[in-house]
Amino acid sequence: MKKTPIAASAFLLASLLAGGCAKKATTATSTTPAAASASVVASGSSVSQNVVSAEKTSPPQIIQDDKDFKYVTEQFADLRILRYRVPGFENLSAQQKELLYYLYEAALSGRDIIYDQNYKHNLRIRRTLDAIVRNKRDRSTSPDWEKFMVYTKRVWFANGIHHHYSANKMLPEFSQEFLASSIRRVPANQLPLQKGETVESFTKWLTPILFDPNLDAKQVNKAAGEDLIKTSAVNFYEGVTQKEVEAFYAKKDVKNDPRPVSHGLNSKVVKENGQLVEKVWKVDGMYGPAIQRIVFWLEKAVAVAENNEQRLALQKLVEFYRTGDLKVFDEYNIAWVKDVNSAVDVVNGFIEVYDDPLGLKGSFESVVSFKDEEATKRIKAIGDQAQWFEDNSPLLPQHKKKNVVGITAKVITTVVEGGDAAPATPIGINLPNANWIRKEHGSKSVNLGNIVHAYNESANSGGSALSEFAYSQEEIDRAKKYSSLASDLHTDMHEVIGHASGQINPGVGTPKQTLKNYASTMEEGRADLVALYYVMDPKLVEIGVMPSLEVGKAEYDGYIRNGLMTQLSRLAPGEKIEEDHMRNRQMVAAWAYEKGRKDNVIERVTKDGKTYFKVNDYQKLRALFGQLLRETQRITSEGDFKAAEKLVETYGVKVDPVLHKEVLQRYSKLNIAPYQGFIQPKLTPVVNNGKVVDVLVVYPDNFTQQMLEFGEVYNLLPHYN
């Protein structure tokens, strides 16, 4: 096998922390990336890309002014690569910076996990693409090279060969011959060959996996009437059927349990000797080498925690990773919710279930952040009124919470994102996902302030979708004045109030049990409807978070425009809508359009041969949103699967092919990529006499370079797990 810098960099930082500078060790060889990782963690050393000795460094760099910062770095296929700043990092204490550095390393240490979760062959594929790029030599002169690089960057962006949003397999545009010749140019010891495998047999195996459109064509299939496990390529199940898995977990669920465990969240289900078994993701289980590395950094974070509440939460997270016990995961979530006084925060674990067609398995993700005190004032003002919003919502009385508890709302400054949260990122987060924990202990809602800012800044590059798809100049002017605030308020209300609102009837199972493959779409739609209902409420003006209802009108214009038209730019011709957030937006907008047709609430207009959707009555539209909110909560509270299926399939899945074609034609002229994601900032510790005394932030601007670097440093798992 090729030499790896992992052990060397581990030796360097470990030596520095042990007592001053050390000469850089020579690189060591290992039989597998997993073996290297295991030896590093077992020896107690730590792993870092680089370390700066305090006596050899100048004072910490001054972060660039925003006006000089380059937010957009490149654009290819349907993707645009951005950067984001970390304002305020330089003002943190040395202890807080050290804590953030350890959490940063823990976040990135799970990179291999998300690749393997997304598809069982992803790690071999990524390692092959990485090796070809590193050995490109004269390949850059080939006409296929640019196509190869576009494909490779798409794989990096999606954490695998399936599109990060549509879940469809991404097919290469370069030739099979080019792939074969490129693989032959890579030294065999740098290729992810299996024992006894030749370069030729490996190439023959890999070619159909990349090029055959019918082989593992869909990462996540949620189509009604099909076996969702057999038709999904996601690596959460193997050798089992949907009926078998549903029966397997039905036996684990305790009927009427007021505090149900999230069974299946951290495991893969396989069939062994005719029986279904779980391969649990934990230190001594599946994904062990990567989880060992995560735990290593988390334990270092425990030692520099800001307070006892944060320390307890981190200790519980470590215990969960060591044991795989989902009851401990609940204990961690409760401790995490109670940690409200720390400036530094982290999401780390198997969290969201969107990538499981059954909504059971959590994808690894991490978001490391610190609180933006000034920006938090807006979102806190909303959170403080949570009970008022619940009491005054259009929900049926029996579905309202009588006592909304523990909602903590803040704007955060993101430091790094990993796993399923990168390169494509959320802009708002509300956790934990367990409904009973939300009800009894509360939740944390955050707006990723600097990420939203980067998106807004990047919007100034390229053509204007607003000018192309907005019906009138009045609509355009209102959007330019208020859409940024409107978007922030929608995110705040969606996360802080929406996900935390409502309650499930006694004796009814969790949405993943009752609504099954429609649970995520219904939950996102319900939260969106809460935001839409209240963004036109004078209460938001009263509490000082928006100047007038014109902000709400801007949000209604944009939501209908996106839900019925512009989001279709993300689909290829002939595709249906599969992704939950897209389904929910079309479901809400299309339902409101249809139900309001009698009163012409939303009007479909043709002007100069182009289609537009124009809101004619904002108050009647608000009333429609309230009606649908009441119904989506009823469906959730009562576990009405048939009603959820009918609502989603009728309004959220099908695409008008004529309108879709028009949208694609109009959008193609704008030079705007429909998807965006980020290069991550890089943290570098400054060490003096074995102590981290400072941490520097730099902003890489080369996506390819960062992906190759991550592929070297966080290359922790075997090819198959």
Side-chain angles (χ1 to χ4, degrees), residues 643-668:
E645 181 181 41
K646 182 177 179 181
L647 185 61
V648 175
E649 293 293 338
T650 301
Y651 297 102
V653 177
K654 301 170 186 175
V655 175
D656 178 345
V658 177
L659 180 61
H660 187 198
K661 181 179 180 181
E662 178 190 332
V663 169
L664 292 176
Q665 289 174 340
R666 291 165 66 181
Y667 208 93
S668 65

Side-chain angles (χ1 to χ4, degrees), residues 148-434:
F148 172 81
M149 284 305 303
V150 167
Y151 177 78
T152 297
K153 287 187 280 190
R154 294 184 76 191
V155 171
W156 288 332
F157 191 97
N159 296 312
I161 66 169
H162 296 88
H163 195 278
H164 76 287
Y165 217 80
S166 72
N168 292 323
K169 184 174 180 178
M170 300 180 294
L171 297 175
E173 295 184 3
F174 55 86
S175 67
Q176 296 182 24
E177 292 74 21
F178 176 82
L179 175 67
S181 64
S182 296
I183 291 174
R184 285 194 294 269
R185 291 171 179 266
V186 177
N189 66 352
Q190 294 183 26
L191 291 171
L193 303 179
Q194 297 283 74
K195 184 176 181 181
E197 190 175 33
T198 66
V199 173
E200 290 72 22
S201 62
F202 169 69
T203 303
K204 185 177 180 180
W205 166 84
L206 179 62
T207 300
I209 288 177
L210 297 190
F211 288 92
D212 186 344
N214 299 313
L215 180 61
D216 297 328
K218 196 82 175 175
Q219 181 190 348
V220 184
N221 179 34
K222 297 184 179 181
E226 299 182 17
D227 187 313
L228 303 183
I229 289 180
K230 282 191 171 183
T231 56
S232 296
V234 69
N235 191 26
F236 292 140
Y237 310 95
E238 192 163 352
V240 296
T241 67
Q242 180 178 345
K243 287 184 178 180
E244 288 175 326
V245 172
E246 289 175 341
F248 177 77
Y249 283 113
K251 292 179 182 178
K252 290 179 174 290
D253 292 331
V254 178
K255 191 174 183 179
N256 298 328
D257 186 353
R259 299 178 180 87
V261 171
S262 300
H263 290 302
L265 187 69
N266 64 330
S267 64
K268 178 179 177 178
V269 177
V270 301
K271 186 177 287 186
E272 293 181 354
N273 299 319
Q275 301 296 317
L276 270 65
V277 297
E278 291 183 298
K279 297 176 66 177
V280 179
W281 308 328
K282 58 180 181 174
V283 164
D284 60 352
M286 187 173 176
Y287 300 140
I291 295 175
Q292 287 177 37
R293 180 73 62 80
I294 294 169
V295 165
F296 171 81
W297 290 112
L298 289 176
E299 288 181 328
K300 296 189 76 65
V302 167
V304 292
E306 295 180 81
N307 51 54
N308 289 333
E309 289 76 16
Q310 185 180 66
R311 184 174 299 107
L312 175 61
L314 291 172
Q315 287 171 335
K316 283 293 181 183
L317 181 56
V318 168
E319 183 183 353
F320 165 65
Y321 275 134
R322 287 195 179 281
T323 64
D325 187 337
L326 286 165
K327 289 185 178 180
V328 175
F329 183 67
D330 287 341
E331 293 171 3
Y332 155 68
N333 278 304
I334 293 168
W336 179 75
V337 166
K338 291 180 178 179
D339 175 23
V340 297
N341 296 315
S342 302
V344 172
D345 207 351
V346 62
V347 172
N348 187 299
F350 307 112
I351 309 295
E352 303 294 356
V353 297
Y354 300 113
D355 288 337
D356 179 3
L358 301 188
L360 298 171
K361 308 298 178 183
S363 298
F364 174 81
E365 71 172 75
S366 185
V367 177
V368 179
S369 65
F370 59 91
K371 187 176 181 180
D372 183 332
E373 295 288 351
E374 183 61 31
T376 292
K377 293 177 181 177
R378 180 194 74 240
I379 197 171
K380 183 178 184 299
I382 291 172
D384 288 345
Q385 298 292 329
Q387 190 66 59
W388 185 94
F389 289 120
E390 186 78 355
D391 293 343
N392 289 276
S393 76
L395 304 184
L396 294 171
Q398 64 268 32
H399 298 155
K400 294 182 182 182
K401 288 180 179 175
K402 303 301 184 287
N403 183 30
V404 179
V405 299
I407 293 181
T408 303
K410 60 184 177 180
V411 177
I412 61 173
T413 298
T414 308
V415 176
V416 72
E417 297 166 300
D420 198 41
T425 171
I427 58 174
I429 298 171
N430 179 275
L431 291 171
N433 285 326

Side-chain angles (χ1 to χ4, degrees), residues 501-682:
S501 70
Q503 62 182 2
I504 296 173
N505 291 356
V508 175
T510 63
K512 72 177 182 180
Q513 295 168 335
T514 59
L515 305 184
K516 301 181 181 180
N517 49 305
Y518 298 107
S520 293
T521 297
M522 292 298 295
E523 175 60 19
E524 292 304 319
R526 193 181 66 84
D528 259 5
L529 285 161
V530 171
L532 291 166
Y533 183 74
Y534 280 117
V535 80
M536 276 294 289
D537 197 302
K539 184 69 173 181
L540 297 188
V541 179
E542 177 188 322
I543 64 177
V545 298
M546 75 180 190
S548 73
L549 293 183
E550 288 297 300
V551 179
K553 291 180 179 179
E555 180 59 22
Y556 278 20
D557 292 337
Y559 194 92
I560 295 301
R561 187 190 319 122
N562 183 44
L564 295 180
M565 278 201 305
T566 55
Q567 74 168 4
L568 298 179
S569 64
R570 297 180 165 191
L571 301 176
E575 289 183 345
K576 294 180 180 180
I577 298 177
E578 298 281 355
E579 201 277 333
D580 291 307
H581 296 82
M582 287 183 68
R583 280 186 168 191
N584 111 68
R585 286 190 290 264
Q586 179 171 288
M587 177 186 76
V588 170
W591 185 94
Y593 172 65
E594 180 182 291
K595 300 303 180 183
R597 290 183 74 172
K598 180 180 177 181
D599 295 328
N600 204 28
V601 176
I602 303 168
E603 183 180 2
R604 180 169 176 161
V605 182
T606 301
K607 184 175 66 173
D608 299 328
K610 297 179 180 180
T611 303
Y612 300 89
F613 288 91
K614 173 177 176 285
V615 179
N616 289 324
D617 193 320
Y618 294 92
Q619 289 302 328
K620 286 186 177 180
L621 181 54
R622 185 191 185 213
L624 288 170
F625 287 146
Q627 291 175 32
L628 186 55
L629 171 58
R630 182 167 57 248
E631 175 63 5
T632 56
Q633 183 63 59
R634 184 200 67 77
I635 291 171
T636 301
S637 296
E638 298 177 1
D640 190 342
F641 174 82
K642 289 185 177 180
E645 181 181 41
K646 182 177 179 181
L647 185 61
V648 175
E649 293 293 338
T650 301
Y651 297 102
V653 177
K654 301 170 186 175
V655 175
D656 178 345
V658 177
L659 180 61
H660 187 198
K661 181 179 180 181
E662 178 190 332
V663 169
L664 292 176
Q665 289 174 340
R666 291 165 66 181
Y667 208 93
S668 65
K669 302 174 183 177
L670 300 177
N671 190 33
I672 303 175
Y675 303 101
Q676 300 179 94
F678 291 91
I679 299 172
Q680 301 301 315
K682 184 174 182 177

Side-chain angles (χ1 to χ4, degrees), residues 83-100:
R83 301 192 302 165
Y84 62 91
R85 291 182 58 236
V86 189
F89 185 89
E90 66 277 11
N91 299 323
L92 298 174
S93 69
Q95 179 182 341
Q96 289 171 323
K97 292 179 182 178
E98 183 178 4
L99 173 61
L100 284 166

